[in-house]
Amino acid sequence: MLGKLMKHEWKAVWKVPTLLLGVLIIIAAVAGLTFALPIWDSDWIGLPMSGIMLFMLFYVAMIGVSIGIVIYLAVRYYKNMFTDEGYLTHTLPVTSRQLLISKVITVSVWELLASIGILFSLMVFGGVAVLSLASKEGDFALLLVEAMKELGNLWDMPFFKGFQVFGVSTVFMELVSCFSGAMTIIASITMGQMIRKHRILGSVGAYFAISAVVQGIFMVIMFPLMLKMVMDNEFLYRFEESPFSFYTIMFTIMSVVYLAVGVGLYFLSEYLIHRRLELE
C-alpha cells in the first residue's frame, strides 16, 4: 500500500516544482546568453553595475524558486493532512505511519531535486556565458582549453589532499540535510496544527524555533573546533595547507546533527499524527 501512496503523492506533487525548476533553467540560459550582446564590448561606465545586477537577478530567481518549492510542499502537506481534505486522507485503508512515510519520502526527494536543479541552473548559466564569450573571441576558447588542461594538473598539489573524502562527506551531508529539511517542514506543520485558532502562525513559529535550535546545536558543537583552529598554530597551518580535511570533519558533524534532528522530528510527528491528530 505504501507504493500506491507514493505513486499517488508523486502524481499530485510533481507539476509545480518541475515548472519552477524549468523556469529557473530558462532564466539561467537567457542570463548567460546576455554575455553575447555587443554591450559587453563597449566602454559604457555602467557596465560593471549591469553585470552585478544580472548576477543579483539570477540569484534572486534561485532563492525564489527554492522558497517557492518549500512553500508549495508545505501547503500541500497541510491541506492533505489537516484540512477538510484530511478527513478523506485519514479514511484511507493505511496506517498513519504509512501516510507520514509517503509524505517524508516525497518531500525529501523534492528537496534533493530542487538542490540538483539549482546546481544545474548554475552550470547552465556558467556554460552558456562561457560559450557566449567564446563565440565573440576565438582566443578565449583556446585559453579555456588551456585552462582546463592546467586544472587537471592541480589534483597532484598538496592543497587538494583529502578532496575525495571531502566530496563523499559533502554528498552525504546534502542527502541527510534534505531529509532533515523535509522533517523540519513536516514537523513544524504537524506541531502547528495543535494550536487550533492559529495553525498557520503556530507552524511558522515552530519552523523558526526548530531552525534556531539546530543552529544553536551547531554553534555549541563547532565553537570548540573553531577555537582550536584559531589558537593552535599547527592546526591552522594544516588548514592553510589543505582545508579539505577540516571541512570533512565539519560536514560529518553537520550530517550527524541533521540525521539526529530528522529522526527525532520524524518520531515526534508520527506520535502527534497518531495520538494527537487535530483536523479543521
Side-chain angles (χ1 to χ4, degrees):
M1 195 63 187
L2 180 60
K4 292 182 179 180
L5 279 174
M6 288 294 305
K7 183 178 180 180
H8 177 269
E9 190 70 16
W10 188 263
K11 286 183 177 180
V13 168
W14 74 273
K15 294 181 181 178
V16 172
T18 302
L19 177 63
L20 290 174
L21 290 175
V23 170
L24 178 62
I25 292 173
I26 292 173
I27 293 174
V30 172
L33 284 172
T34 58
F35 285 95
L37 296 176
I39 189 175
W40 297 103
D41 295 327
S42 67
D43 296 328
W44 179 45
I45 191 172
L47 197 60
M49 182 59 66
S50 298
I52 293 174
M53 291 299 297
L54 180 63
F55 284 113
M56 288 299 296
L57 287 173
F58 179 53
Y59 178 76
V60 169
M62 288 192 297
I63 297 298
V65 167
S66 178
I67 295 176
I69 291 175
V70 169
I71 292 176
Y72 172 75
L73 294 173
V75 171
R76 161 71 186 173
Y77 174 75
Y78 173 71
K79 287 185 175 181
N80 192 240
M81 293 291 285
F82 303 117
T83 62
D84 293 341
E85 188 179 336
Y87 286 98
L88 178 61
T89 300
H90 292 287
T91 58
L92 295 173
V94 295
T95 64
S96 57
R97 174 173 294 180
Q98 288 175 323
L99 276 174
L100 181 59
I101 289 176
S102 67
K103 305 294 184 184
V104 170
I105 293 176
T106 302
V107 177
S108 298
V109 169
W110 272 113
E111 286 266 340
L112 179 61
L113 291 177
S115 299
I116 294 174
I118 291 173
L119 178 61
F120 181 71
S121 70
L122 283 169
M123 295 173 62
V124 169
F125 174 74
V128 173
V130 168
L131 291 175
S132 299
L133 292 172
S135 65
K136 294 162 58 176
E137 296 185 34
D139 293 341
F140 183 83
L142 181 61
L143 180 63
L144 180 63
V145 172
E146 293 297 326
M148 294 300 293
K149 290 181 179 179
E150 291 296 328
L151 186 62
N153 298 327
L154 293 178
W155 299 111
D156 297 329
M157 296 178 60
F159 180 82
F160 288 95
K161 181 181 179 181
F163 181 81
Q164 292 82 357
V165 180
F166 164 76
V168 173
S169 67
T170 302
V171 172
F172 181 69
M173 186 194 68
E174 178 63 26
L175 293 174
V176 175
S177 66
C178 288
F179 166 67
S180 178
M183 283 314 311
T184 300
I185 296 171
I186 290 172
S188 300
I189 297 172
T190 304
M191 294 166 64
Q193 58 87 30
M194 299 181 65
I195 306 176
R196 297 182 181 181
K197 295 183 179 180
H198 303 284
R199 294 172 183 264
I200 296 177
L201 184 61
S203 299
V204 173
Y207 181 87
F208 283 107
I210 293 171
S211 299
V213 170
V214 173
Q215 293 301 318
I217 293 173
F218 280 140
M219 290 181 63
V220 170
I221 295 176
M222 296 304 300
F223 181 75
L225 188 61
M226 299 299 294
L227 186 63
K228 179 178 177 59
M229 178 180 173
V230 174
M231 302 297 294
D232 191 339
N233 291 331
E234 184 179 351
F235 185 87
L236 182 60
Y237 173 77
R238 291 199 303 268
F239 175 80
E240 293 176 346
E241 186 179 43
S242 179
F244 294 108
S245 298
F246 171 79
Y247 286 118
T248 299
I249 297 172
M250 185 173 69
F251 285 179
T252 301
I253 294 173
M254 292 174 67
S255 298
V256 172
V257 173
Y258 280 138
L259 185 60
V261 170
V263 171
L265 291 177
Y266 169 81
F267 284 111
L268 174 62
S269 300
E270 184 179 295
Y271 170 79
L272 293 176
I273 292 173
H274 184 64
R275 300 289 185 181
R276 304 289 298 277
L277 183 63
E278 293 282 350
L279 300 179
E280 289 185 353

